[in-house]
Amino acid sequence: MADLKLPQRINRLEELAYNLWWSWHEPARDVFRALDYRQWRLSGHNPVRQLRKLTPEILAAAATDAEFLALYDGVMAEFDTSMSTPDTWFKRTHPDWLHGPIGYFSMEFAIHNSLPIYAGGLGILAGDVCKEASDLGIPMVAVGFMYPQGYFHQHLCVERNICQEEIYRQLNFDESPIRRVLSPNGDTVLASVRLNDFSVAIGVWLVRAGRTSVYLLDTNLEQNPPEHRDLSARLYTAEREQRIQQEVVLGIGGVRVLRALNINPSIWHVNEGHTAFMILERIREEIARGASFDEAVKRVRATTVFTTHTPVMAGHDIFPIDLVEKYLTNYWKAVGIDRDTFFRLAQEDGARAQALNMTALALEMSSQRWAVSQLHGKVTRRMWHGLWPKVPEEQVPITTVTNGVHVPTWVAPELSRLFEKYLGEGWIERHDDPALWEKVMDIPDDELWAVHQTLKRKLVSAMRERGRDRWVEDNVPPKQLLVLCSLFDPDALTIAFARRFTEYKRPALVFRDMERLKRIIGNQWHPVQIVFAGKSHPADFPSKYLLTQVYNQASERDFQGRLAFVEDYDMHMARYLVQGADLWLNTPRRLQEACGTSGMKASLNGSLHLSVRDGWWYEGYNGANGWAIGPDLVNPRPEEEDEADAEAFYRLLEEKIVPLYYNRDRKGVPHGWMRMVKEAMRSIVPVFCARRMLKEYTERTYQAAARPSLSD
Ligand SMILES: *Cc1c(COP(=O)(O)O)cnc(C)c1O
């Protein structure tokens, strides 16, 4: 990797570019913006790429520009303080009990868009956890995969039967905010694991998210045969065999990599079942150190924390016996146990095992087990009651820490400045304090409305810019441009439906009564528009069909260009959408949304939540901070549930939402709407933020796992 040649006076730009800390500190973003705005934009807000593209003249000019240097010096000082101050929340409140860091394992991480190694909510959560741990000073190292092709990019095509095209692009590692990690003796191979008859060598990349180091595993090394080099190429391959290979590499290899780096976590956090094989490696280590199998199991369990993230069965990895035998026979022989004992790690009666369920393995082998919302906790206890048949369902030992979002990442800078003015300077340091948010009521409606209008215009511009790129670069048909953006109106009430396309989220629910929807949308004086965004998993054909359906509707003339579909939903577009939409729509089938976090981001930014009361909205809705679609009861017949929810959706729009939105004063400000926006911020932000979530994890979970004697 060619190192950057920067003028001495500003040579720490390199350090700043390689630590994604810059991505959630606005002044640091300003440094790169001010350095060269054009390259900042062209690089896709990726300063590593930007710095590689800048000419020596531009760099030299910056190095002597007093104004730039003042900005740069200020940011570097703040960066140094953030990175090394001993005065953190964690140190102040919990000075004594944690010896090693928390090892946080996840299949995906969404830290910044320049590193497209995430698919959706699970990755977003993992990224937000890493950042918030850094902000609070919680010692954490994270382990995941560096997928050179990541998740696919989505193009849509009106003229196809199935309109989603999946495009995989090779990431340029030299232009990514990652660094190769070498072993203490300079080797690129840090560890290896056995896959059947082969030994797979593992290399590692480091991403820094503030104080949190994220180690990303990579098997694309010349030591490996082609089939193993490709193992880490893509996220969520549908192919079972490749999947178990990946998970063996991540779980077992991940532990070995940390050991090779002499990093020894005190607590091991399994984020979703995909990473549960890390438990096996730690059992092997304990036995190698002389423990009996039972004792090894006990010790590993005591220091393992597990979070489960989905009530949808297809979201749980279940490997058939033949694959488990193929890839793990070596393992149970090496630790000196038989097959049945091995399977007993994941279920009571190992001899009768038909498959290996990764969630069951993680549940059985952790001492702290967490669901991600109150309602999901209930559903999860019911779902896994079979593992604890002797206790009543309410006592199944799985409890809840509700997810939250990393506020500095998701808040719009324009809004942050307004909060600065009315909540007080340094509001961001105290954003989980409910008392602080009482002051949101003091923000004058017209100021808040003006900021919201700006953000909405930015959303429409961003949509048009993406459309323009496709028109210019790919020569897409004009009809497609209409769907991508071109008739969108920055003054109409704008609803966003942006999330993974899967059946349970019911993206086509709003089309149940086409005529009624057309009437709502086409109201001449009170128009409504809907923007859709989201990817279907490449192997999920029913959901691709739904996507095609929605997309085709958007191109119908009857909808007057008031429906749009933005391609390639990602973190970048998500920021525009949650910050710029008026209304954030979520229509999951009940009990299937574990938590959902996009509505929290929307509420933070003044986009009101309109959702079925599932996931976090079950506890977040208070009657005045958004709207609930339909009743809370679970209807056993999906058809009836769809009917009732569609009816509730139309009725809310017709009777409540549209009138409230268009009820303006003489200057055009909707005071009733603004009252609701403020109520949403007040009641939601301090509770549904990653700061509250990580404090809770620390106090309820990590602390107990670090002192096993207290939790037994
Ligand atoms: C926040 C976010 C998600 C998760 O939100 P849901 O409410 O679960 O859909 C998924 N994808 C992106 C890009 C996000 O920013």
Side-chain angles (χ1 to χ4, degrees):
M1 193 186 318
D3 268 313
L4 293 164
K5 291 207 179 49
L6 298 172
Q8 162 115 43
R9 178 68 178 82
I10 53 172
N11 66 2
R12 293 190 67 205
L13 280 176
E14 177 168 352
E15 202 185 325
L16 193 64
Y18 276 96
N19 191 326
L20 290 166
W21 179 90
W22 67 260
S23 71
W24 73 95
H25 291 86
E26 197 52 22
R29 298 164 70 93
D30 283 340
V31 166
F32 294 111
R33 255 185 226 122
L35 186 59
D36 182 81
Y37 187 65
R38 208 173 63 98
Q39 282 299 347
W40 164 251
R41 291 289 298 271
L42 286 174
S43 71
H45 303 171
N46 171 0
V48 174
R49 181 181 302 157
Q50 180 192 16
L51 290 178
R52 295 207 184 281
K53 296 269 150 80
L54 289 182
T55 60
E57 292 73 32
I58 288 181
L59 290 166
T64 55
D65 177 337
E67 204 176 327
F68 178 77
L69 291 175
L71 178 64
Y72 167 82
D73 290 339
V75 165
M76 292 318 298
E78 193 191 339
F79 177 62
D80 289 337
T81 310
S82 280
M83 293 298 288
S84 60
T85 178
D87 182 27
T88 63
W89 170 82
F90 186 76
K91 270 273 160 56
R92 283 196 302 275
T93 356
H94 302 279
D96 55 350
W97 53 264
L98 194 63
H99 302 295
I102 289 144
Y104 186 84
F105 281 53
S106 180
M107 197 77 171
E108 47 172 313
F109 286 93
I111 306 171
H112 183 257
N113 225 39
S114 53
L115 213 55
I117 54 170
Y118 63 92
L122 182 69
I124 301 279
L125 178 86
D128 281 5
V129 162
C130 292
K131 293 172 186 172
E132 192 60 57
S134 170
D135 292 348
L136 289 173
I138 300 172
M140 179 175 280
V141 291
V143 177
F145 256 125
M146 183 57 227
Y147 309 96
Q149 300 178 11
Y151 203 51
F152 69 94
H153 294 274
Q154 178 195 52
H155 277 184
L156 300 174
C157 174
V158 265
E159 280 143 6
R160 292 243 224 124
N161 272 344
I162 289 206
C163 71
Q164 174 171 289
E165 285 180 73
E166 290 120 25
I167 295 157
Y168 287 92
R169 293 190 197 123
Q170 195 74 23
L171 201 66
N172 182 342
F173 281 28
D174 273 351
E175 295 184 347
S176 300
I178 55 174
R179 298 265 201 202
R180 166 102 41 214
V181 178
L182 300 177
S183 73
N185 50 22
D187 209 342
T188 47
V189 178
L190 268 90
S192 62
V193 294
R194 278 195 86 70
L195 283 180
N196 200 3
D197 292 334
F198 296 94
S199 171
V200 181
I202 302 173
V204 178
W205 299 87
L206 172 62
V207 181
R208 289 191 186 281
R211 294 175 175 230
T212 307
S213 293
V214 185
Y215 293 97
L216 300 174
L217 279 47
D218 169 22
T219 61
N220 186 14
L221 300 173
E222 56 192 31
Q223 289 84 347
N224 289 331
E227 68 272 23
H228 291 157
R229 296 181 67 156
D230 282 349
L231 224 156
S232 60
R234 293 178 183 181
L235 174 63
Y236 298 144
T237 58
E239 220 266 300
R240 288 278 98 187
E241 183 153 2
Q242 198 172 19
R243 197 67 176 256
I244 193 171
Q245 293 179 343
Q246 282 189 334
E247 294 186 16
V248 167
V249 170
L250 180 58
I252 294 181
V255 176
R256 291 184 184 170
V257 161
L258 291 183
R259 302 299 189 202
L261 296 168
N262 202 17
I263 297 171
N264 297 300
S266 292
I267 291 160
W268 301 74
H269 195 147
V270 177
N271 188 44
E272 193 57 308
H274 314 125
T275 63
F277 286 145
M278 62 117 109
I279 290 162
L280 302 183
E281 173 62 4
R282 289 163 49 227
I283 292 176
R284 191 195 61 74
E285 289 179 337
E286 292 289 347
I287 290 172
R289 277 187 220 121
S292 69
F293 177 72
D294 289 343
E295 203 169 298
V297 165
K298 194 163 163 239
R299 281 190 208 160
V300 168
R301 183 180 284 141
T303 49
T304 304
V305 171
F306 171 54
T307 306
T308 177
H309 288 265
T310 176
V312 179
M313 245 319 161
H316 296 259
D317 272 322
I318 298 171
F319 294 116
I321 292 283
D322 57 328
L323 283 184
V324 180
E325 284 178 340
K326 183 165 172 191
Y327 291 103
L328 290 160
T329 304
N330 283 326
Y331 173 80
W332 63 70
K333 286 194 177 142
V335 298
I337 55 173
D338 61 17
R339 182 186 169 287
D340 294 353
T341 311
F342 174 80
F343 279 101
R344 213 175 297 138
L345 290 172
Q347 66 183 80
E348 296 264 299
D349 188 353
R352 299 224 328 255
Q354 301 293 318
L356 180 66
N357 184 318
M358 295 296 279
T359 308
L361 172 65
L363 285 168
E364 287 279 2
M365 284 304 303
S366 44
S367 59
Q368 306 281 325
R369 309 164 196 88
W370 302 91
V372 292
S373 71
Q374 298 294 343
L375 189 58
H376 176 232
K378 274 192 202 172
V379 174
T380 306
R381 285 188 287 277
R382 183 173 319 151
M383 193 166 169
W384 297 102
H385 195 182
L387 291 181
W388 289 272
K390 296 190 193 87
V391 304
E393 189 179 297
E394 322 77 75
Q395 284 170 31
V396 167
I398 303 172
T399 34
T400 290
V401 174
T402 302
N403 285 343
V405 295
H406 185 244
V407 168
T409 294
W410 295 104
V411 69
E414 292 84 349
L415 201 54
S416 180
R417 285 193 284 274
L418 195 66
F419 291 157
E420 197 102 326
K421 187 166 159 195
Y422 289 98
L423 307 189
E425 247 179 77
W427 73 273
I428 205 128
E429 299 306 322
R430 295 183 288 131
H431 70 257
D432 62 334
D433 174 5
L436 176 81
W437 289 94
E438 296 300 328
K439 293 194 212 152
V440 97
M441 298 301 176
D442 300 342
I443 303 180
D445 289 348
D446 55 346
E447 283 189 50
L448 187 54
W449 178 245
V451 168
H452 178 69
Q453 292 299 87
T454 305
L455 295 173
K456 196 164 162 190
R457 282 182 164 69
K458 284 178 79 167
L459 165 63
V460 174
S461 300
M463 290 165 63
R464 292 200 174 137
E465 192 162 311
R466 280 207 179 178
R468 189 176 301 113
D469 284 350
R470 293 276 277 136
W471 169 244
V472 174
E473 282 165 23
D474 304 324
N475 194 20
V476 297
K479 185 171 176 188
Q480 188 165 347
L481 274 190
L482 294 181
V483 181
L484 291 179
C485 60
S486 57
L487 294 177
F488 240 48
D489 172 2
D491 291 318
L493 169 58
T494 301
I495 305 176
F497 182 98
R499 50 197 69 258
R500 268 181 315 119
F501 267 59
T502 69
E503 278 187 297
Y504 85 82
K505 299 207 185 216
R506 298 188 292 176
L509 187 77
V510 302
F511 296 110
R512 235 185 124 80
D513 183 342
M514 216 63 97
E515 293 313 312
R516 197 162 171 193
L517 183 65
K518 282 175 191 165
R519 277 199 304 278
I520 293 170
I521 283 186
N523 183 318
Q524 192 183 355
W525 301 109
H526 296 162
V528 174
Q529 58 194 0
I530 310 179
V531 48
F532 292 88
K535 298 176 183 174
S536 287
H537 187 280
D540 181 358
F541 285 91
S543 115
K544 284 180 162 177
Y545 175 71
L546 279 173
L547 192 151
T548 306
Q549 216 184 327
V550 169
Y551 190 65
N552 288 340
Q553 288 303 340
S555 65
E556 284 290 317
R557 191 188 300 257
D558 282 359
F559 283 114
Q560 308 181 359
R562 295 199 186 277
L563 299 182
F565 201 124
V566 180
E567 295 177 325
D568 205 24
Y569 182 49
D570 60 6
M571 274 181 96
H572 188 54
M573 202 61 202
R575 273 171 63 91
Y576 282 114
L577 286 162
V578 297
Q579 295 171 3
D582 296 305
L583 203 57
W584 196 259
L585 177 65
N586 193 13
T587 52
R589 203 173 281 301
R590 281 168 187 71
L591 306 188
Q592 306 221 13
E593 179 90 308
C595 180
T597 54
S598 58
M600 302 174 187
K601 301 170 201 165
S603 302
L604 160 68
N605 285 290
S607 169
L608 290 172
H609 202 212
L610 166 62
S611 171
V612 170
R613 276 186 78 191
D614 199 20
W616 78 280
W617 199 228
Y618 189 75
E619 62 202 273
Y621 176 63
N622 70 5
N625 59 359
W627 291 275
I629 298 174
D632 287 344
L633 299 177
V634 180
N635 194 312
R637 277 186 291 276
E639 184 62 20
E640 285 173 17
E641 186 178 7
D642 290 353
E643 185 60 38
D645 289 341
E647 168 64 28
F649 168 76
Y650 297 130
R651 190 181 280 256
L652 277 170
L653 277 177
E654 290 161 349
E655 294 177 3
K656 299 258 165 65
I657 297 172
V658 175
L660 188 67
Y661 184 79
Y662 285 106
N663 182 4
R664 307 292 174 87
D665 71 5
R666 290 186 194 286
K667 285 192 270 174
V669 180
H671 293 285
W673 189 271
M674 288 291 103
R675 194 172 316 123
M676 208 146 168
V677 164
K678 291 186 210 170
E679 174 57 20
M681 290 170 172
R682 187 197 68 78
S683 61
I684 291 168
V685 184
V687 183
F688 298 96
C689 59
R691 179 151 297 186
R692 188 273 310 146
M693 166 178 69
L694 265 176
K695 285 184 176 175
E696 234 185 296
Y697 265 116
T698 303
E699 280 159 7
R700 296 177 54 200
T701 306
Y702 296 150
Q703 196 163 8
R707 292 172 170 160
S709 55
L710 298 180
S711 67
D712 270 352

